[in-house]
Amino acid sequence: MAGVLQLPSGRLVRGRALSRPLPAGPAPAFALYLLGHEPPPVAWETRWLRWPDFWLPSDRTATADALREAWGRAEAERVEVACAGGRGRTGTALACLAVLDGVPHHEAVAYVREHYAPRAVETPWQRRFVSRFRP
């Protein structure tokens, strides 16, 4: 799964599944990888957040900092957010980016499901994480 989410401000962020081949098109300048283990090296700048599959990030402060960085950089750079499957953790992070972009907390999951993937943000605790995310 790979797709580009356009935030209300016009910022673009590519979400994708690391379990699939790199999609065609330009490489990102910055990527945020959400995995339970360190990702393999790539040619672009990355930030890794320890985030086990179907769960929540291990360090919420580092996660908020990384999301703010990704959102800020998306104004002028190609940014990618990815996890193994491209839906749960990626969708959760994209919903938090939508909150940073001005989407109300209670609408962020629906926004990502409409504009990125219908099954994004897979678990109740991921939805709760978005509803409690503070920029």
Side-chain angles (χ1 to χ4, degrees):
M1 151 164 270
V4 176
L5 173 68
Q6 182 171 359
L7 295 167
S9 66
R11 287 174 166 92
L12 301 174
V13 180
R14 179 171 72 187
R16 79 173 178 105
L18 292 171
S19 60
R20 300 222 171 117
L22 185 66
F30 175 75
L32 187 55
Y33 293 141
L34 318 168
L35 297 168
H37 56 84
E38 192 167 357
V42 291
W44 47 88
E45 186 181 350
T46 66
R47 192 159 172 186
W48 167 54
L49 295 173
R50 185 178 302 276
W51 192 331
D53 201 7
F54 296 106
W55 291 99
L56 297 175
S58 299
D59 184 334
R60 292 179 190 212
T61 301
T63 300
D65 290 344
L67 290 168
R68 281 192 292 272
E69 179 181 3
W71 179 79
R73 293 180 73 158
E75 186 173 17
E77 299 176 69
R78 293 183 188 280
V79 172
E80 170 176 273
V81 175
C83 65
R87 285 198 183 105
R89 293 168 284 184
T90 297
T92 302
L94 292 174
C96 291
L97 293 178
V99 169
L100 286 169
D101 208 61
V103 175
H105 291 88
H106 65 279
E107 296 175 15
V109 171
Y111 183 88
V112 169
R113 287 179 174 171
E114 179 180 347
H115 298 282
Y116 171 68
R119 294 183 359 200
V121 191
E122 295 174 312
T123 68
W125 40 93
Q126 289 172 339
R127 287 191 298 278
R128 190 174 330 115
F129 182 82
V130 173
S131 72
R132 295 179 178 171
F133 179 73
R134 296 296 175 251

